[in-house]
Structures are given as C-alpha cells and as structure tokens.
Amino acid sequence: MNTLVLFVLLFVFMFMGMPVGVALGLSSLAVILGFTNDSLASLTLKIYETSEHYTLLAIPFFIVGGVFMTTGGVARRMIRFANACVGHFPGGLAMASVLACMLFAAVSGSSPATVVAVGSIVIAGMVKAGYSKEFAAGVICNAGTLGILIPPSIVLVVYGAVTETSVGALFLAGILPGILLGLILMVAIYWRARVLNLPRQPRASMNEVLVAGRQSLWGLLLVVIILGGIYGGVFTPTEAAAVAAVYAFVVAVFIYRDLKWGDIPGVLLESAKVTVMLMFIIANALLFAHVLTTERIPQQIAESIAGMGMAPWQFLLVVNVLLLIAGMFMEPTGIILIMAPILFPIAEKLGIDPVHLGIIMVVNLEIGMVTPPVGLNLFVTSGITHMTIGQVVRAALPWTLLLLLFLIVVTYVPWISTIVPQLLH
C-alpha cells in the first residue's frame, strides 16, 4: 500500500509540473509522515545521512573543473586538433565534430556542456562549409551524449555512490563503449557524406596536426591525471575530482590564459548553481530510495523475478524498455537515483556484472538526452541553432537510431564494458 501511494504521488506531482527533486522529496515526505512512525525531526537527519556519501563529494569538483574547461578555449583547441586529424575525409568537418565531442566529453563530464561548447562553434562552421543545418544539428545533438559516457562522468559517479560500485572501474568501463560509439557515428557520417557528396577539408600537414595536438594536450592531460591517479593508487575518485578542479583552473587561467581573474567569480557562481540543483535532486532521491528500501521493494521485486525464472537477457530487455521510457520524461541523475536501487539487487541475483549494468543504464540515458519531450540535448541544440524542437527531433532521429543499435550491442556483448576494468585491475 505504502509503495503504491509513493509512486502515485511521485507521478501526480511530476505531471503537475513540479521539478523532479521536489516531486521525489514531497512524495517521500508524505509516505514517511502518513504511513510510518518517523518524526519530522528525524527526516532532516535522514536527508543528511543519505546524502552524506564521500563519493558524492566528487560531483561539485567535477562540475567546477568542467565549467573552467567549458568557459576557457579548450573546446576551440580540441576542434582544431580533430579537424586536422579527420577533416580531409568526406564529411570531414562533421567527423571532426564527433571527435571533438569525444575529446571534450573527456574533460567536461556533461552532455549539455559538450553540445554547447562544441556545437556553438562547429554548427555554424558546418553550415558555412555547405552542410545543411539539419545535418549539423542532428550530428552534434547525438554526439554530445558522449559527455555522460566517456569518463569523467557525473552520472557514473552517482551510479557508483548509489550502488557502492567502484567509480574508478566505472570510469574505465566507459572508455571503450565511448570510443566505439564515436567511431560508429563517424563511419555513418563518412557513408552519408559519400552518398550526399558532402565537402571535405584540405588535408592538414603533419606540422599542423602536431601543433594542434600540442595546443589541446593540456586539456586532454586531465583524463590521464584522473584515471592514472585513481589506478596508480595516488588518490581516490573524490580526490581525483578535487585535483581535476584545481588543474582545470590552472590550465584555463595560467596556461591558456582564456580566463581573466575577473571571470573566476562568474565561473564559481555557475558551478555553484549547477551543484546546488544536482545535490538537491540527489538528496531527495536518496530519501526516496530510503523509503523503497525500508518497504523492501527492491528485494520483493528481485524475489518475484527470481521466482518467475526470468533469464538475464530477458531482464536486461525489460531494463532497457523501462529506462528508454523513463529517459523521455526525466533527466539522467534522477533516473539513476530512482531506478538503480531497484534494478541493482535483481541484477546481482541474476549474476549480471554491476559495472556492465552501469554502462547499460548510461547508454539508455544517452538516448534519453535526445528523445522528446524532455531530452536536454534537444533544447540545447535548439537554442544554439534557433531551430524549433520539432525540427531538431527530426534532424536527430536518424543518428538516434544508431544509438539504439549500439545499446543492443552493449547490452548483449558485456565484455565491451568489462574488458578494460578487468585488464587494469
């Protein structure tokens, strides 16, 4: 009964237009006060306890580092390097845009930030070079989703905190799927460019490639520092996030000198806004998860599925359908916080690797970023291109179908997610 009330209230509040964080908190509060013996005073302690997770400290640091990198000229340098590497192929500028998204994803940890940083520069350039605006928008909208798959990823940090899975292992697990998805998009662009006879750039000299690579190197070293530090035993993922924030500040202010001292308060304010919004959702979602656990919902569902004799492949099919539907209406962090506590115990019982489950969830959430009505990348791309949401959806659809195909592959070929962590453990 309590569970039914909890979910009914959650969906009623969300359909009323409440923000996800408020809907999660109010529905949890109503059930705790109405159907349990907990006092109002103990609720504040519960919210504090549930959000007092050491791993979650990584989030504000990664956000600060990402904003420093986004505000500075890192994206511009990465686009130049990507263009020097692949610009001479048919559709080379579009392929360079995908490669730039892959490179920038490795320093931002955010999908919308990747779309803004790369898209605001390359979409206009692609249109000027002879691409249609729809083609350019569709490519960037989908390639930007790599921001939450290629490490460091804020979504993977949240999944690791909720399920107590190693964040370092999750970061390593995101590398190969992220590269594969980027290559799939680039091959599709190459094929489409041959059919449409899209323009190619003049081949860059080796000197241009080296110069562009050297200029973007300081940004790319961030990934080496994070993953190398974690797996070299130098620091924890949370400490790695703090180091990343300081490194991004040094690169933006002292090395690239794209930011002046007067710009720093604005960067910190922007970081604080994003952090407060995200942590508010996380605190309320963890309270929601606490109610679920108290009612033994995940355990009961796990026992029911085990009783039905559902095979792992059938369960993963159900997971994908659930997450694809959820992705249409909610943002990734909220989905992870609601669904992971329910799905994780079932996956454990069925012998599914928790790292593999995490990557499956993130790829589903990538698709959610480009599906209406709440796909964040659609709105960001619309803002950059001044196209309507409907036009962006139509432009993005062919490339989103590739993401769906990739989801099937990642779901049923688990070594794509697990081989890198296994090799480096």
Side-chain angles (χ1 to χ4, degrees):
M1 177 64 185
N2 292 5
T3 309
L4 180 64
V5 172
L6 182 69
F7 279 99
V8 167
L9 285 175
L10 174 65
F11 289 114
V12 166
F13 290 149
M14 283 173 61
F15 280 120
M16 285 168 62
M18 282 187 190
V20 174
V22 176
L24 286 166
L26 275 181
S27 55
S28 306
L29 192 68
V31 169
I32 290 170
L33 292 179
F35 299 93
T36 69
N37 295 323
D38 290 337
S39 67
L40 190 60
S42 68
L43 286 184
T44 52
L45 186 61
K46 275 196 176 62
I47 291 175
Y48 177 76
E49 285 173 349
T50 51
S51 56
E52 190 194 22
H53 201 298
Y54 178 66
T55 309
L56 292 176
L57 270 176
I59 292 173
F61 289 122
F62 277 133
I63 289 171
V64 170
V67 174
F68 269 117
M69 288 294 190
T70 307
T71 311
V74 177
R76 189 176 65 254
R77 291 174 176 86
M78 287 181 174
I79 290 164
R80 182 186 171 190
F81 176 56
N83 202 31
C85 291
V86 298
H88 58 278
F89 289 107
L93 192 52
M95 292 172 70
S97 303
V98 174
L99 181 55
C101 284
M102 292 168 69
L103 296 173
F104 193 77
V107 299
S108 73
S110 164
S111 224
T114 303
V115 174
V116 169
V118 178
S120 57
I121 299 170
V122 299
I123 289 176
M126 286 167 71
V127 172
K128 204 173 185 178
Y131 296 80
S132 70
K133 188 188 276 190
E134 289 72 21
F135 187 95
V139 167
I140 294 299
C141 187
N142 283 273
T145 64
L146 291 163
I148 61 170
L149 179 58
I150 294 177
S153 162
I154 292 167
V155 175
L156 285 175
V157 172
V158 174
Y159 174 85
V162 172
T163 61
E164 296 185 356
T165 304
S166 163
V167 173
L170 289 166
F171 279 3
L172 288 175
I175 294 172
L176 184 56
I179 292 171
L180 278 178
L181 181 52
L183 289 175
I184 287 168
L185 289 170
M186 289 166 76
V187 168
I189 288 167
Y190 178 83
W191 172 78
R192 195 78 185 122
R194 295 287 295 271
V195 173
L196 298 175
N197 196 27
L198 291 174
R200 63 173 84 191
Q201 307 295 304
R203 182 185 287 271
S205 65
M206 183 53 68
N207 183 58
E208 166 65 13
V209 174
L210 292 174
V211 169
R214 190 175 68 246
Q215 287 186 350
S216 62
L217 184 64
W218 288 106
L220 295 175
L221 276 175
L222 182 66
V223 190
V224 178
I225 291 168
I226 291 169
L227 295 180
I230 292 170
Y231 270 86
V234 181
F235 35 63
T236 66
T238 303
E239 290 163 350
V243 171
V246 175
Y247 177 82
F249 163 74
V250 170
V251 168
V253 176
F254 295 107
I255 296 175
Y256 287 154
R257 297 181 181 177
D258 293 311
L259 289 179
K260 304 290 181 265
W261 284 99
D263 300 324
I264 293 172
V267 169
L268 295 177
L269 181 62
E270 179 61 28
S271 304
K273 284 178 184 175
V274 177
T275 301
V276 169
M277 178 190 72
L278 207 50
M279 295 307 289
F280 179 75
I281 295 172
I282 289 170
N284 283 295
L286 289 173
L287 186 63
F288 186 88
H290 165 76
V291 177
L292 286 179
T293 308
T294 305
E295 295 294 315
R296 293 193 76 255
I297 306 307
Q299 295 88 334
Q300 287 172 16
I301 295 173
E303 287 159 11
S304 301
I305 287 177
M308 290 162 59
M310 189 178 281
W313 73 267
Q314 293 170 317
F315 168 69
L316 289 176
L317 180 63
V318 172
V319 167
N320 284 338
V321 172
L322 278 174
L323 291 174
L324 287 172
I325 293 169
M328 296 169 68
F329 301 100
M330 293 174 64
E331 56 87 42
T333 309
I335 296 171
I336 288 281
L337 288 161
I338 294 171
M339 303 297 285
I342 298 171
L343 299 174
F344 183 77
I346 307 169
E348 260 193 327
K349 198 160 246 185
L350 293 174
I352 295 164
D353 190 304
V355 171
H356 181 215
L357 178 68
I359 298 301
I360 291 170
M361 291 190 77
V362 170
V363 175
N364 271 287
L365 300 180
E366 283 190 286
I367 297 169
M369 302 291 280
V370 289
T371 50
V374 187
L376 284 177
N377 283 17
L378 298 174
F379 290 95
V380 174
T381 307
S382 172
I384 293 170
T385 59
H386 305 295
M387 295 164 66
T388 66
I389 294 294
Q391 289 172 324
V392 175
V393 170
R394 284 193 295 276
L397 184 59
W399 309 101
T400 306
L401 295 176
L402 284 176
L403 267 62
L404 283 166
L405 180 65
F406 179 71
L407 172 63
I408 295 167
V409 174
V410 164
T411 301
Y412 295 111
V413 186
W415 66 263
I416 294 174
S417 306
T418 57
I419 190 166
V420 176
Q422 285 169 0
L423 286 173
L424 294 178
H425 256 300

